[in-house]
């Protein structure tokens, strides 16, 4: 319990002092909650000895009223200090998580961790948010109350106090074993919650394909099986926990009986006054009530511990170092705009790039071609520091990008990929992300250059139209042109282009080609090429296969080598010719 209190306080950040102040009021409230027992003891003692007076009765009544009123005041103060703290703490944590996720290598997101992140955000953080402060207040109140009860016993008789402490230790020993098993079950429960989240995301994202292949029944079975497994996991959690609660309840009851029997023995032996026996009779069956109430919430507390573990696991993921202080210099004659020097890179233990070296001159175009999985996209990702090289160097204008702050590097690079993501926001805001301080006239001009102004003006609210998440309310070609407008507005000197026309229809292709031509004017291009009409015009073509540069040169030079590139071109030419015959037919 103390460990959990520390963990919650450590998570609380700037609100830690505020929560600790609430502990003071919780303690005072606990004292006042038990104070009526002391008042009742004094009244009964006075009656027993025949010393009770009207003034004492009035004082006892006033004391009882004061205890009730002050409890309300102290409870209100504690609630004011910590009731909203859970929401504020987790609001800060979500923002911190967002900043952390931005700095984690992209490999983390491609290794099946999307479900974990979603589960942490939508399940674990929500559970902590809704339960942490209440649990913290309850824990402190119960701990203080139990301490006061033991102090009462020590006041009445030292042997009663020692007996009470021994029974508390026995409860703690049993509860420790219970919590150990509950933590294991909680971890299983939260892992299944993560699995369920991944399955739901997979089902929703793939529902179109499942429909087209008439596999909804199969996919629904998988989803249903996961829901049933989650139900079983939760039921098993409760079944495994229930026997421990019964054992603890037995210890509570037997402990109270033991204290009562010991009190009778001490009174009969003349070691304790009969008035003290009366006092003990007032609260003996509530003696272990606070610790009982505390451990009755152990299910909630162990789940919270598991949630904290999973949240901290995400926060402990190593970030890409961003401690560089160098700035990318101005372009200089003779210095390559981009340079890879003997670069090796591995996903985990598996090396996928082997001794990659090439340079790209300013205002030139370099195309990367080759079989799927050869390493083309990895090269582009290393340039943007989505990952860091295993060995070697990636340089921009002669500066190692690891020595440059990430924000400065990204100011010099724009990316256009086949798979476009637009945010659920206005068209204007999606474009202005390229340069948030741009004027409206500049945003509109960028849209015109990207050949998307006309279709934007046909939308219900023009530039102020809110588009669906991921750009769902726009066609693929329209999404692509909006993303190109964003890059045009950014006006970065280096463009990474995963050929944007590779998967769009013919109607959109010409518009996108015009938009790309506008984007690339006067820029340095690194192009992952799919189409011959792009490759032919490259200043240099690098053939990437099995993580190596197997061929390099212009289109004409590579065709004369009669190697992989020539085979690639032949396949593309034959495919194009077949498509033309199909259209004529």
């Amino acid at each position: 319990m103390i460990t959990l209190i520390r963990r919650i306080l450590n998570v609380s950040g700037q609100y830690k002092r505020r929560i600790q102040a609430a502990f003071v009021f919780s303690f005072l409230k606990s004292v006042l909650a038990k104070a009526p027992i002391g008042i009742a003891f004094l009244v009964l003692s006075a009656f027993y000895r025949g010393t009770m007076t009207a003034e004492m009765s009035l004082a006892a009544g006033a004391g009882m009223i004061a205890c009730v009123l002050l409890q309300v005041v102290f409870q209100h103060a504690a609630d004011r200090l910590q009731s909203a703290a859970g929401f504020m703490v987790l609001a800060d944590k979500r923002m911190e998580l967002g900043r952390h996720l931005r700095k984690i290598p992209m490999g983390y997101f491609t290794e099946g961790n999307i479900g974990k992140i979603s589960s942490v955000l939508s399940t674990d953080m929500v559970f902590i948010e809704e339960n942490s402060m209440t649990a913290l207040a309850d824990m402190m109140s119960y701990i203080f109350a139990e301490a006061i009860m033991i102090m009462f016993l020590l006041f009445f008789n030292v042997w009663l106090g020692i007996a009470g402490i021994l029974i508390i230790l026995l409860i703690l020993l049993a509860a420790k074993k219970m919590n150990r098993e509950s933590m294991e079950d909680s971890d299983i429960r939260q892992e299944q919650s993560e699995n369920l989240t991944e399955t739901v995301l997979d089902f929703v994202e793939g529902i179109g394909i499942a429909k087209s292949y008439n596999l909804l029944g199969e996919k629904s079975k998988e989803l249903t099986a996961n829901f049933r497994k989650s139900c079983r996991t939760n039921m098993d959690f409760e079944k495994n926990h229930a026997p421990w609660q019964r054992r603890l309840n037995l210890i509570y009851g037997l402990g109270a009986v033991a204290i009562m029997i010991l009190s009778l023995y001490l009174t009969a032996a003349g070691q304790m006054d009969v008035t003290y026996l009366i006092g003990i009779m007032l609260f003996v069956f509530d003696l272990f009530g606070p610790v009982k109430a505390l451990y009755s919430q152990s299910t909630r507390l162990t789940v919270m511990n598991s949630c904290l573990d999973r949240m901290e696991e995400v926060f402990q993921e190593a970030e890409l170092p961003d401690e560089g202080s160098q700035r990318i210099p101005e372009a200089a004659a003779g210095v390559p705009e981009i340079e890879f020097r003997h670069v090796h890179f591995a996903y985990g233990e598996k090396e996928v790039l082997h001794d990659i070296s090439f340079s790209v001159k300013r205002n030139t175009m370099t195309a990367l071609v080759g079989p799927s999985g050869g390493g083309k996209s990895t090269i582009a990702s290393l340039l943007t520091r989505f990952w860091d090289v295993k060995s070697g160097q990636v340089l921009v204008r002669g500066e190692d990008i690891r020595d440059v702050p990430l924000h400065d590097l990204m100011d010099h690079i724009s990316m256009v990929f086949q798979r476009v993501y637009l945010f659920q926001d206005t068209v204007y805001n999606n474009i202005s992300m390229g340069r948030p301080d741009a004027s409206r006239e500049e945003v509109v001009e960028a849209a015109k250059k990207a050949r998307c102004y006309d279709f934007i003006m046909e939308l219900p609210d023009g530039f102020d139209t809110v588009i669906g998440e991921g750009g769902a309310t726009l066609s693929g070609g329209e999404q692509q042109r909006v993303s190109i407008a964003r890059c045009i507005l950014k006006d970065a000197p280096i463009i990474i282009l995963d050929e944007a026309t590779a998967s769009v229809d013919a109607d959109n292709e010409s518009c996108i080609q015009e938009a790309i031509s506008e984007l690339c004017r006067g820029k340095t291009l690194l192009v992952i090429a799919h189409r011959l009409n792009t490759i032919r015009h490259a200043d240099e073509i690098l053939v990437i296969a099995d993580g190596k540069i197997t061929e390099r040169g212009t289109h004409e030079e590579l065709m004369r080598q009669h190697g992989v590139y020539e085979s690639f071109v032949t396949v593309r030419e034959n495919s194009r010719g077949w498509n033309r015959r199909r259209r004529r037919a």
Side-chain angles (χ1 to χ4, degrees):
M1 298 297 175
I2 301 301
T3 302
L4 179 58
I5 291 170
R6 282 204 203 99
R7 293 187 75 183
I8 294 173
L9 288 174
N10 289 337
V11 167
S12 300
Q14 62 177 316
Y15 305 101
K16 181 177 180 178
R17 298 293 182 196
R18 177 174 170 170
I19 294 168
Q20 288 173 328
F23 290 170
V24 176
F25 291 105
S26 292
F27 171 73
L28 294 173
K29 181 241 178 183
S30 297
V31 171
L32 291 168
K34 301 305 176 185
I37 297 174
I39 294 173
F41 166 69
L42 294 174
V43 169
L44 288 173
S45 295
F47 270 113
Y48 181 78
R49 293 190 172 92
T51 58
M52 190 67 183
T53 63
E55 289 78 10
M56 288 179 66
S57 296
L58 289 172
M64 291 284 192
I65 293 170
C67 286
V68 172
L69 293 176
L70 287 172
Q71 276 187 73
V72 172
V73 171
F74 293 145
Q75 183 68 60
H76 177 71
D79 289 344
R80 284 292 299 271
L81 285 168
Q82 66 185 25
S83 62
F87 297 100
M88 293 185 285
V89 166
L90 268 297
D92 287 352
K93 277 292 170 186
R94 288 188 180 96
M95 296 301 293
E96 184 182 341
L97 180 61
R99 290 190 292 270
H100 178 64
L101 291 175
R102 286 190 310 177
K103 299 175 183 178
I104 292 178
M106 287 298 293
Y108 179 77
F109 302 97
T110 59
E111 292 171 355
N113 288 310
I114 298 299
K116 176 179 285 187
I117 296 168
S118 300
S119 182
V120 167
L121 281 167
S122 63
T123 303
D124 299 322
M125 282 188 163
V126 171
F127 189 89
I128 297 168
E129 181 177 56
E130 294 177 349
N131 292 276
S132 59
M133 292 304 115
T134 306
L136 198 58
D138 289 346
M139 278 192 291
M140 297 308 300
S141 180
Y142 297 145
I143 290 169
F144 292 145
E146 193 59 52
I148 292 167
M149 289 291 200
I150 296 299
M151 288 169 65
F152 276 156
L153 286 181
L154 288 167
F155 170 77
F156 290 133
N157 187 280
V158 67
W159 292 111
L160 288 176
I162 291 171
I165 291 170
L166 290 174
I167 293 167
I168 292 292
L169 290 175
L170 180 61
I171 292 170
L172 293 176
L173 183 62
K176 184 177 181 180
K177 293 182 178 179
M178 176 186 71
N179 286 339
R180 189 183 300 120
E181 289 191 14
S182 295
M183 274 300 298
E184 292 173 3
D185 291 337
S186 295
D187 290 340
I188 294 170
R189 175 179 167 175
Q190 295 309 107
E191 283 174 14
Q192 176 54 31
S193 173
E194 178 187 325
N195 293 336
L196 180 61
T197 302
E198 285 183 355
T199 304
V200 171
L201 288 172
D202 183 56
F203 179 81
V204 172
E205 289 176 0
I207 195 167
I209 294 172
K211 272 187 173 183
S212 66
Y213 287 96
N214 200 24
L215 292 174
L216 274 181
E218 295 299 319
K219 289 294 180 182
S220 296
K221 285 179 185 176
E222 183 182 342
L223 186 62
T224 302
N226 229 294
F227 278 123
R228 286 177 178 160
K229 187 175 180 181
S230 291
C231 180
R232 284 197 306 272
T233 302
N234 282 283
M235 292 294 290
D236 289 344
F237 179 86
E238 297 297 337
K239 287 178 181 177
N240 294 339
H241 185 74
W244 282 106
Q245 283 293 349
R246 288 197 294 270
R247 290 175 197 136
L248 285 175
N249 285 334
L250 186 62
I251 297 173
Y252 302 143
L254 292 176
V257 171
I259 294 295
M260 187 174 176
I261 291 172
L262 182 58
S263 300
L264 290 169
Y265 170 79
L266 291 170
T267 304
Q271 297 182 32
M272 191 172 73
D273 192 276
V274 69
T275 56
Y276 287 3
L277 176 63
I278 294 170
I280 289 170
M281 296 291 285
L282 288 172
F283 69 90
V284 67
F285 290 107
D286 189 43
L287 178 59
F288 302 109
V291 75
K292 179 180 180 180
L294 178 62
Y295 283 110
S296 68
Q297 298 190 46
S298 60
T299 300
R300 183 169 62 150
L301 300 179
T302 52
V303 171
M304 192 181 307
N305 250 320
S306 182
C307 291
L308 285 166
D309 286 341
R310 288 160 50 77
M311 185 179 79
E312 288 171 3
E313 184 182 340
V314 176
F315 276 108
Q316 287 166 2
E317 280 295 321
E319 298 179 356
L320 276 174
D322 188 19
E323 300 171 356
S325 58
Q326 301 299 316
R327 310 293 292 184
I328 293 178
E330 295 294 325
V335 178
E337 191 80 346
I338 302 167
E339 186 176 3
F340 277 59
R341 289 182 185 170
H342 305 291
V343 167
H344 293 257
F345 176 73
Y347 293 113
E349 298 299 319
K350 182 182 179 183
E351 187 168 286
V352 294
L353 291 182
H354 319 288
D355 197 25
I356 298 291
S357 294
F358 67 91
S359 61
V360 180
K361 295 179 181 178
R362 184 168 177 250
N363 297 342
T364 63
M365 172 180 161
T366 298
L368 306 179
V369 301
S372 178
K376 303 184 297 296
S377 295
T378 302
I379 289 172
S381 296
L382 290 177
L383 177 58
T384 55
R385 277 202 80 195
F386 286 171
W387 295 280
D388 268 341
V389 299
K390 180 181 177 183
S391 64
Q393 288 181 295
V394 179
L395 303 101
V396 172
R397 296 178 182 171
E399 198 69 56
D400 191 317
I401 61 174
R402 289 171 295 186
D403 298 331
V404 174
L406 277 169
H407 68 86
D408 187 37
L409 174 66
M410 296 314 299
D411 281 344
H412 286 76
I413 299 174
S414 287
M415 295 165 283
V416 180
F417 296 119
Q418 287 184 53
R419 186 175 179 180
V420 176
Y421 189 89
L422 301 179
F423 293 90
Q424 188 169 359
D425 203 339
T426 62
V427 176
Y428 180 89
N429 286 341
N430 268 282
I431 296 175
S432 66
M433 285 177 64
R435 185 155 51 88
D437 60 347
S439 66
R440 192 172 185 89
E441 290 73 19
E442 289 173 315
V443 172
V444 171
E445 183 61 27
K448 289 179 178 178
K449 289 180 178 178
R451 308 301 188 266
C452 58
Y453 178 81
D454 292 339
F455 83 76
I456 291 174
M457 296 310 294
E458 292 174 1
L459 296 173
D461 297 310
F463 279 88
D464 296 318
T465 302
V466 176
I467 55 180
E469 186 175 355
T473 53
L474 300 179
S475 72
E478 290 169 341
Q479 292 175 34
Q480 192 64 268
R481 279 181 273 167
V482 170
S483 75
I484 293 171
R486 181 190 292 167
C487 291
I488 290 174
L489 185 66
K490 185 177 180 180
D491 196 28
I494 298 172
I495 307 292
I496 299 174
L497 185 63
D498 189 348
E499 193 166 355
T501 60
S503 58
V504 299
D505 55 78
D507 292 335
N508 276 296
E509 183 177 352
S510 60
C511 291
I512 293 174
Q513 286 286 14
E514 291 174 10
I516 289 174
S517 297
E518 191 71 44
L519 168 66
C520 298
R521 187 172 291 123
K523 310 293 185 186
T524 303
L525 302 182
L526 185 67
V527 179
I528 300 172
H530 303 278
R531 299 197 175 196
L532 292 176
N533 59 351
T534 303
I535 301 168
R536 290 181 193 279
H537 304 297
D539 296 284
E540 184 176 37
I541 300 168
L542 305 178
V543 181
I544 312 295
D546 298 323
K548 300 176 182 177
I549 299 176
T550 58
E551 299 174 16
R552 67 173 76 202
T554 62
H555 172 76
E556 291 75 15
E557 289 169 348
L558 291 175
M559 289 299 290
R560 287 195 293 269
Q561 292 180 21
H562 305 297
V564 175
Y565 181 78
E566 185 192 33
S567 301
F568 173 82
V569 171
T570 302
V571 170
R572 291 297 188 276
E573 288 284 4
N574 290 340
S575 173
R576 187 177 65 174
W578 184 82
N579 285 331
R580 283 176 175 171
R581 288 194 296 273
R582 291 265 301 186
R583 281 195 288 269
R584 282 199 297 270

